[in-house]
Every structure is written in structure tokens, then in C-alpha cells.
Amino acid sequence: MNIFGIGLPEMAVIMVVALLIFGPKKLPEIGRSLGKTIRSFQEASNEFQNEFKKEAESLEQTVKTTAELEPKQIEATKSQPENAGSSPTS
């Protein structure tokens, strides 16, 4: 078991030190608040990832649309001078 690069022996030492510092009555409360903090951080991270993916998809769709329209605009621009140069003479 390896969490954040900390193995089981290191986790046990940290828990013993925390128990000595905070006492057995405060430790569950601290654990709960730490769990809530980590959970809210994960939710914010997931929300950020989802928003980033949504914006990336939107940008990708815009690029695809622009790539589809650009050749049509270039062809229209090329055909305009040809039509403008052939004006009928009276």
C-alpha cells in the first residue's frame, strides 16, 4: 500500500504521532474534516476537468467548422475576380 509515496510503516508512525498530539477524542473529528476536505478537492478537480473537456470539445468543433468553411470561401473568392473581369460590353 503506497499513498502519496508513503508506505504502511510511515503511515503507522504518522498515526501514532497524531494520536499523541491530538488525543483519541479529537482524532476521529480531525479525520472526518480531512476526509471532507479531500472529497471537496476531488469534486472541484473533477469539475475543472469536465469544464476543460467541454471547452476543448467546443474549440475542436469550431476548428472543424472553420476548416470546412475555409475552402468554400477560398473558392468563392477565386471565382469572384473571374466573374468581375468578364463584364458584358454593349
Side-chain angles (χ1 to χ4, degrees):
M1 185 170 148
N2 194 355
I3 301 172
F4 301 118
I6 299 174
L8 192 58
E10 291 89 358
M11 289 283 270
V13 170
I14 292 170
M15 292 301 287
V16 168
V17 170
L19 184 61
L20 291 174
I21 292 174
F22 297 111
K25 292 183 180 182
K26 281 274 193 181
L27 207 54
E29 183 181 323
I30 293 170
R32 255 183 260 118
S33 64
L34 182 64
K36 288 178 183 179
T37 303
I38 290 173
R39 188 178 320 121
S40 66
F41 179 74
Q42 287 176 340
E43 288 174 0
S45 175
N46 287 339
E47 184 178 328
F48 176 75
Q49 286 177 346
N50 290 338
E51 189 67 30
F52 186 78
K53 286 178 184 177
K54 201 184 317 181
E55 289 298 321
E57 288 172 2
S58 173
L59 183 61
E60 184 178 338
Q61 184 63 33
T62 302
V63 169
K64 283 182 182 179
T65 303
T66 303
E68 290 172 358
L69 292 176
E70 195 170 88
K72 294 175 185 175
Q73 290 174 344
I74 290 172
E75 283 185 26
T77 304
K78 286 181 181 178
S79 64
Q80 283 178 352
E82 292 172 4
N83 290 341
S86 60
S87 61
T89 53
S90 307

